[in-house]
mmCIF file of all heavy atoms in Angstrom:
data_model
loop_
_atom_site.group_PDB
_atom_site.id
_atom_site.type_symbol
_atom_site.label_atom_id
_atom_site.label_comp_id
_atom_site.label_asym_id
_atom_site.label_seq_id
_atom_site.Cartn_x
_atom_site.Cartn_y
_atom_site.Cartn_z
ATOM 1 N N THR C 1 -5.414 51.964 -177.734
ATOM 2 C CA THR C 1 -6.698 52.213 -178.186
ATOM 3 C C THR C 1 -6.742 52.808 -179.554
ATOM 4 O O THR C 1 -6.050 53.692 -179.950
ATOM 5 C CB THR C 1 -7.392 53.130 -177.223
ATOM 6 O OG1 THR C 1 -7.285 52.759 -175.817
ATOM 7 C CG2 THR C 1 -8.865 53.396 -177.650
ATOM 8 N N ILE C 2 -7.494 52.108 -180.507
ATOM 9 C CA ILE C 2 -7.658 52.485 -181.855
ATOM 10 C C ILE C 2 -9.016 53.038 -182.063
ATOM 11 O O ILE C 2 -10.079 52.197 -181.879
ATOM 12 C CB ILE C 2 -7.249 51.270 -182.773
ATOM 13 C CG1 ILE C 2 -5.878 50.749 -182.476
ATOM 14 C CG2 ILE C 2 -7.526 51.615 -184.236
ATOM 15 C CD1 ILE C 2 -5.705 49.489 -183.214
ATOM 16 N N THR C 3 -9.048 54.317 -182.561
ATOM 17 C CA THR C 3 -10.441 54.827 -182.883
ATOM 18 C C THR C 3 -10.406 55.261 -184.389
ATOM 19 O O THR C 3 -9.458 55.090 -185.155
ATOM 20 C CB THR C 3 -10.695 56.109 -182.097
ATOM 21 O OG1 THR C 3 -9.851 57.117 -182.355
ATOM 22 C CG2 THR C 3 -10.518 55.719 -180.591
ATOM 23 N N GLU C 4 -11.456 55.823 -184.815
ATOM 24 C CA GLU C 4 -11.485 56.310 -186.305
ATOM 25 C C GLU C 4 -10.790 57.627 -186.466
ATOM 26 O O GLU C 4 -10.576 58.067 -187.543
ATOM 27 C CB GLU C 4 -13.037 56.568 -186.666
ATOM 28 C CG GLU C 4 -13.702 55.277 -186.691
ATOM 29 C CD GLU C 4 -15.164 55.534 -187.186
ATOM 30 O OE1 GLU C 4 -15.572 56.714 -187.324
ATOM 31 O OE2 GLU C 4 -16.042 54.541 -187.306
ATOM 32 N N PHE C 5 -10.216 58.081 -185.328
ATOM 33 C CA PHE C 5 -9.470 59.338 -185.454
ATOM 34 C C PHE C 5 -7.923 59.243 -185.027
ATOM 35 O O PHE C 5 -7.184 60.091 -185.597
ATOM 36 C CB PHE C 5 -9.997 60.463 -184.494
ATOM 37 C CG PHE C 5 -11.598 60.697 -184.682
ATOM 38 C CD1 PHE C 5 -12.480 59.896 -183.927
ATOM 39 C CD2 PHE C 5 -12.033 61.382 -185.711
ATOM 40 C CE1 PHE C 5 -13.773 60.083 -184.028
ATOM 41 C CE2 PHE C 5 -13.338 61.577 -185.977
ATOM 42 C CZ PHE C 5 -14.276 60.955 -185.110
ATOM 43 N N LYS C 6 -7.527 58.301 -184.340
ATOM 44 C CA LYS C 6 -6.252 58.062 -183.881
ATOM 45 C C LYS C 6 -5.881 56.844 -183.358
ATOM 46 O O LYS C 6 -6.806 56.025 -183.110
ATOM 47 C CB LYS C 6 -5.851 59.233 -182.872
ATOM 48 C CG LYS C 6 -6.757 59.080 -181.538
ATOM 49 C CD LYS C 6 -6.441 60.233 -180.638
ATOM 50 C CE LYS C 6 -7.322 60.031 -179.342
ATOM 51 N NZ LYS C 6 -7.125 61.115 -178.315
ATOM 52 N N VAL C 7 -4.621 56.640 -183.049
ATOM 53 C CA VAL C 7 -4.043 55.456 -182.276
ATOM 54 C C VAL C 7 -3.419 55.872 -181.122
ATOM 55 O O VAL C 7 -2.430 56.812 -181.254
ATOM 56 C CB VAL C 7 -3.065 54.545 -183.209
ATOM 57 C CG1 VAL C 7 -2.469 53.322 -182.319
ATOM 58 C CG2 VAL C 7 -3.755 53.975 -184.372
ATOM 59 N N GLU C 8 -3.889 55.498 -179.991
ATOM 60 C CA GLU C 8 -3.326 55.992 -178.602
ATOM 61 C C GLU C 8 -2.589 54.829 -177.836
ATOM 62 O O GLU C 8 -3.165 53.713 -177.818
ATOM 63 C CB GLU C 8 -4.385 56.586 -177.747
ATOM 64 C CG GLU C 8 -3.983 57.190 -176.493
ATOM 65 C CD GLU C 8 -5.211 57.812 -175.780
ATOM 66 O OE1 GLU C 8 -5.486 58.896 -175.850
ATOM 67 O OE2 GLU C 8 -5.807 57.053 -174.950
ATOM 68 N N ALA C 9 -1.456 55.172 -177.274
ATOM 69 C CA ALA C 9 -0.677 54.112 -176.560
ATOM 70 C C ALA C 9 -0.590 54.736 -175.076
ATOM 71 O O ALA C 9 0.028 55.845 -175.056
ATOM 72 C CB ALA C 9 0.559 53.763 -177.173
ATOM 73 N N ASP C 10 -1.046 54.137 -174.189
ATOM 74 C CA ASP C 10 -1.021 54.526 -172.729
ATOM 75 C C ASP C 10 -0.138 53.791 -171.855
ATOM 76 O O ASP C 10 -0.377 52.512 -171.804
ATOM 77 C CB ASP C 10 -2.328 54.775 -172.186
ATOM 78 C CG ASP C 10 -2.347 55.318 -170.777
ATOM 79 O OD1 ASP C 10 -1.307 56.017 -170.399
ATOM 80 O OD2 ASP C 10 -3.418 55.290 -170.092
ATOM 81 N N LEU C 11 0.898 54.295 -171.367
ATOM 82 C CA LEU C 11 1.773 53.511 -170.318
ATOM 83 C C LEU C 11 1.057 53.443 -168.968
ATOM 84 O O LEU C 11 1.141 54.548 -168.338
ATOM 85 C CB LEU C 11 3.208 54.008 -170.235
ATOM 86 C CG LEU C 11 4.217 53.412 -169.266
ATOM 87 C CD1 LEU C 11 4.334 52.022 -169.597
ATOM 88 C CD2 LEU C 11 5.549 54.099 -169.357
ATOM 89 N N GLU C 12 0.594 52.280 -168.524
ATOM 90 C CA GLU C 12 -0.164 52.249 -167.402
ATOM 91 C C GLU C 12 0.711 51.827 -166.180
ATOM 92 O O GLU C 12 0.477 50.897 -165.511
ATOM 93 C CB GLU C 12 -1.290 51.191 -167.611
ATOM 94 C CG GLU C 12 -2.356 51.597 -168.621
ATOM 95 C CD GLU C 12 -3.321 50.566 -168.796
ATOM 96 O OE1 GLU C 12 -3.138 49.407 -168.593
ATOM 97 O OE2 GLU C 12 -4.527 50.983 -169.097
ATOM 98 N N SER C 13 1.700 52.731 -165.956
ATOM 99 C CA SER C 13 2.570 52.386 -164.914
ATOM 100 C C SER C 13 3.354 53.787 -164.682
ATOM 101 O O SER C 13 3.827 54.519 -165.638
ATOM 102 C CB SER C 13 3.712 51.380 -165.146
ATOM 103 O OG SER C 13 4.698 51.323 -164.079
ATOM 104 N N ASP C 14 3.600 54.172 -163.423
ATOM 105 C CA ASP C 14 4.275 55.394 -163.106
ATOM 106 C C ASP C 14 5.631 55.210 -162.886
ATOM 107 O O ASP C 14 6.176 53.999 -162.824
ATOM 108 C CB ASP C 14 3.609 56.053 -161.726
ATOM 109 C CG ASP C 14 2.239 56.557 -161.991
ATOM 110 O OD1 ASP C 14 1.795 56.675 -163.097
ATOM 111 O OD2 ASP C 14 1.534 56.598 -160.931
ATOM 112 N N LEU C 15 6.439 56.177 -162.752
ATOM 113 C CA LEU C 15 7.960 56.139 -162.542
ATOM 114 C C LEU C 15 8.072 56.703 -161.264
ATOM 115 O O LEU C 15 7.432 57.653 -160.759
ATOM 116 C CB LEU C 15 8.650 57.020 -163.573
ATOM 117 C CG LEU C 15 8.777 56.447 -164.983
ATOM 118 C CD1 LEU C 15 9.530 57.590 -165.843
ATOM 119 C CD2 LEU C 15 9.487 55.212 -165.026
ATOM 120 N N THR C 16 9.184 56.153 -160.573
ATOM 121 C CA THR C 16 9.638 56.659 -159.206
ATOM 122 C C THR C 16 11.054 56.950 -159.198
ATOM 123 O O THR C 16 11.870 56.141 -159.734
ATOM 124 C CB THR C 16 9.259 55.644 -158.129
ATOM 125 O OG1 THR C 16 9.665 56.171 -156.836
ATOM 126 C CG2 THR C 16 9.893 54.290 -158.390
ATOM 127 N N TYR C 17 11.402 58.009 -158.605
ATOM 128 C CA TYR C 17 12.815 58.480 -158.564
ATOM 129 C C TYR C 17 13.000 59.320 -157.394
ATOM 130 O O TYR C 17 12.376 60.442 -157.258
ATOM 131 C CB TYR C 17 13.280 59.218 -159.967
ATOM 132 C CG TYR C 17 14.643 59.519 -159.985
ATOM 133 C CD1 TYR C 17 15.765 58.682 -160.151
ATOM 134 C CD2 TYR C 17 15.015 60.860 -159.949
ATOM 135 C CE1 TYR C 17 17.016 58.915 -160.140
ATOM 136 C CE2 TYR C 17 16.364 61.390 -160.123
ATOM 137 C CZ TYR C 17 17.309 60.314 -160.189
ATOM 138 O OH TYR C 17 18.748 60.659 -160.214
ATOM 139 N N GLN C 18 13.994 59.102 -156.555
ATOM 140 C CA GLN C 18 14.221 59.902 -155.363
ATOM 141 C C GLN C 18 13.050 60.159 -154.548
ATOM 142 O O GLN C 18 12.746 61.345 -154.305
ATOM 143 C CB GLN C 18 15.064 61.142 -155.735
ATOM 144 C CG GLN C 18 16.477 60.940 -156.311
ATOM 145 C CD GLN C 18 17.079 62.161 -156.725
ATOM 146 O OE1 GLN C 18 16.560 63.176 -156.778
ATOM 147 N NE2 GLN C 18 18.521 62.045 -156.954
ATOM 148 N N ASN C 19 12.260 59.157 -154.274
ATOM 149 C CA ASN C 19 10.936 59.244 -153.507
ATOM 150 C C ASN C 19 9.958 60.181 -154.051
ATOM 151 O O ASN C 19 9.009 60.554 -153.392
ATOM 152 C CB ASN C 19 11.274 59.692 -152.002
ATOM 153 C CG ASN C 19 12.203 58.953 -151.276
ATOM 154 O OD1 ASN C 19 12.092 57.668 -151.382
ATOM 155 N ND2 ASN C 19 13.201 59.450 -150.617
ATOM 156 N N ARG C 20 10.050 60.400 -155.474
ATOM 157 C CA ARG C 20 9.078 61.014 -156.095
ATOM 158 C C ARG C 20 8.452 60.196 -157.350
ATOM 159 O O ARG C 20 9.199 59.344 -157.883
ATOM 160 C CB ARG C 20 9.549 62.411 -156.666
ATOM 161 C CG ARG C 20 10.050 63.412 -155.635
ATOM 162 C CD ARG C 20 10.466 64.776 -156.248
ATOM 163 N NE ARG C 20 9.290 65.306 -157.087
ATOM 164 C CZ ARG C 20 9.368 66.342 -157.809
ATOM 165 N NH1 ARG C 20 10.555 66.774 -158.200
ATOM 166 N NH2 ARG C 20 8.292 66.891 -158.414
ATOM 167 N N THR C 21 7.285 60.442 -157.660
ATOM 168 C CA THR C 21 6.563 59.585 -158.777
ATOM 169 C C THR C 21 6.017 60.657 -159.811
ATOM 170 O O THR C 21 5.744 61.814 -159.493
ATOM 171 C CB THR C 21 5.464 58.798 -158.163
ATOM 172 O OG1 THR C 21 4.460 59.588 -157.604
ATOM 173 C CG2 THR C 21 5.965 57.728 -157.186
ATOM 174 N N ALA C 22 5.920 60.005 -161.005
ATOM 175 C CA ALA C 22 5.352 60.826 -162.057
ATOM 176 C C ALA C 22 4.754 59.836 -163.082
ATOM 177 O O ALA C 22 5.306 58.681 -163.361
ATOM 178 C CB ALA C 22 6.250 61.815 -162.818
ATOM 179 N N SER C 23 3.731 60.252 -163.737
ATOM 180 C CA SER C 23 3.057 59.448 -164.795
ATOM 181 C C SER C 23 3.573 59.822 -166.071
ATOM 182 O O SER C 23 3.906 61.111 -166.279
ATOM 183 C CB SER C 23 1.489 59.613 -164.781
ATOM 184 O OG SER C 23 1.246 60.913 -165.037
ATOM 185 N N VAL C 24 3.656 58.891 -166.944
ATOM 186 C CA VAL C 24 4.181 59.117 -168.329
ATOM 187 C C VAL C 24 2.959 59.639 -169.268
ATOM 188 O O VAL C 24 3.103 60.408 -170.098
ATOM 189 C CB VAL C 24 4.936 57.920 -169.005
ATOM 190 C CG1 VAL C 24 5.238 58.213 -170.401
ATOM 191 C CG2 VAL C 24 6.090 57.657 -168.124
ATOM 192 N N GLY C 25 1.844 58.903 -169.057
ATOM 193 C CA GLY C 25 0.598 59.253 -169.806
ATOM 194 C C GLY C 25 0.506 58.460 -171.214
ATOM 195 O O GLY C 25 1.274 57.626 -171.539
ATOM 196 N N ALA C 26 -0.177 59.107 -172.014
ATOM 197 C CA ALA C 26 -0.535 58.445 -173.316
ATOM 198 C C ALA C 26 0.097 59.305 -174.457
ATOM 199 O O ALA C 26 0.394 60.596 -174.403
ATOM 200 C CB ALA C 26 -1.910 58.491 -173.607
ATOM 201 N N VAL C 27 0.586 58.627 -175.486
ATOM 202 C CA VAL C 27 1.067 59.249 -176.716
ATOM 203 C C VAL C 27 0.099 58.789 -177.955
ATOM 204 O O VAL C 27 -0.571 57.834 -177.718
ATOM 205 C CB VAL C 27 2.484 58.763 -177.070
ATOM 206 C CG1 VAL C 27 3.476 59.335 -176.025
ATOM 207 C CG2 VAL C 27 2.592 57.417 -177.327
ATOM 208 N N GLU C 28 0.047 59.425 -178.950
ATOM 209 C CA GLU C 28 -0.879 59.156 -180.110
ATOM 210 C C GLU C 28 -0.393 59.544 -181.426
ATOM 211 O O GLU C 28 0.653 60.275 -181.566
ATOM 212 C CB GLU C 28 -2.143 59.884 -179.778
ATOM 213 C CG GLU C 28 -2.081 61.529 -179.827
ATOM 214 C CD GLU C 28 -3.408 62.212 -179.486
ATOM 215 O OE1 GLU C 28 -4.006 61.758 -178.532
ATOM 216 O OE2 GLU C 28 -3.711 63.144 -180.232
ATOM 217 N N ASN C 29 -1.062 58.950 -182.364
ATOM 218 C CA ASN C 29 -0.796 59.337 -183.857
ATOM 219 C C ASN C 29 -2.065 59.368 -184.492
ATOM 220 O O ASN C 29 -3.013 58.486 -184.350
ATOM 221 C CB ASN C 29 0.037 58.226 -184.509
ATOM 222 C CG ASN C 29 0.359 58.433 -185.922
ATOM 223 O OD1 ASN C 29 -0.555 58.278 -186.800
ATOM 224 N ND2 ASN C 29 1.660 58.612 -186.269
ATOM 225 N N ASN C 30 -2.197 60.481 -185.229
ATOM 226 C CA ASN C 30 -3.584 60.714 -185.945
ATOM 227 C C ASN C 30 -3.623 59.906 -187.221
ATOM 228 O O ASN C 30 -3.669 60.641 -188.291
ATOM 229 C CB ASN C 30 -3.789 62.256 -186.120
ATOM 230 C CG ASN C 30 -3.724 63.007 -184.866
ATOM 231 O OD1 ASN C 30 -4.316 62.587 -183.763
ATOM 232 N ND2 ASN C 30 -3.197 64.303 -184.797
ATOM 233 N N ILE C 31 -3.851 58.759 -187.083
ATOM 234 C CA ILE C 31 -4.032 57.969 -188.199
ATOM 235 C C ILE C 31 -5.303 57.188 -188.102
ATOM 236 O O ILE C 31 -5.698 56.575 -186.955
ATOM 237 C CB ILE C 31 -2.967 56.915 -188.469
ATOM 238 C CG1 ILE C 31 -3.111 56.144 -189.782
ATOM 239 C CG2 ILE C 31 -2.755 55.996 -187.220
ATOM 240 C CD1 ILE C 31 -1.782 55.351 -190.146
ATOM 241 N N ASN C 32 -6.170 56.920 -189.113
ATOM 242 C CA ASN C 32 -7.376 56.275 -189.183
ATOM 243 C C ASN C 32 -7.270 54.832 -189.775
ATOM 244 O O ASN C 32 -7.328 54.600 -190.971
ATOM 245 C CB ASN C 32 -8.383 57.015 -189.953
ATOM 246 C CG ASN C 32 -9.853 56.378 -189.879
ATOM 247 O OD1 ASN C 32 -10.026 55.338 -189.393
ATOM 248 N ND2 ASN C 32 -10.910 57.153 -190.203
ATOM 249 N N LEU C 33 -6.873 53.951 -188.784
ATOM 250 C CA LEU C 33 -6.610 52.522 -189.145
ATOM 251 C C LEU C 33 -7.946 51.847 -189.561
ATOM 252 O O LEU C 33 -7.864 50.924 -190.335
ATOM 253 C CB LEU C 33 -5.920 51.703 -188.046
ATOM 254 C CG LEU C 33 -4.567 52.011 -187.837
ATOM 255 C CD1 LEU C 33 -3.932 51.160 -186.688
ATOM 256 C CD2 LEU C 33 -3.698 51.738 -189.069
ATOM 257 N N TYR C 34 -9.052 52.357 -189.042
ATOM 258 C CA TYR C 34 -10.334 51.607 -189.530
ATOM 259 C C TYR C 34 -10.645 51.975 -191.000
ATOM 260 O O TYR C 34 -11.013 51.029 -191.707
ATOM 261 C CB TYR C 34 -11.524 52.275 -188.642
ATOM 262 C CG TYR C 34 -11.752 51.713 -187.335
ATOM 263 C CD1 TYR C 34 -11.172 52.189 -186.088
ATOM 264 C CD2 TYR C 34 -12.394 50.580 -187.209
ATOM 265 C CE1 TYR C 34 -11.382 51.645 -184.856
ATOM 266 C CE2 TYR C 34 -12.778 49.880 -185.979
ATOM 267 C CZ TYR C 34 -12.206 50.482 -184.849
ATOM 268 O OH TYR C 34 -12.438 49.836 -183.609
#
């Protein structure tokens, strides 16, 4: 997602390990590509 304030990348998949799951979520960079 690109906005006037940042670029955000969201991994839309969870991780599973030893019958447990966790989400990675989004990372971002505060750059105005617009």
Side-chain angles (χ1 to χ4, degrees):
T1 303
I2 301 174
T3 71
E4 294 182 356
F5 306 101
K6 63 183 179 181
V7 176
E8 182 179 272
D10 186 13
L11 177 56
E12 297 180 328
S13 175
D14 293 339
L15 288 176
T16 178
Y17 182 70
Q18 294 182 343
N19 298 321
R20 296 185 61 192
T21 60
S23 61
V24 176
V27 298
E28 62 184 45
N29 181 286
N30 296 325
I31 183 173
N32 188 342
L33 287 181
Y34 274 98

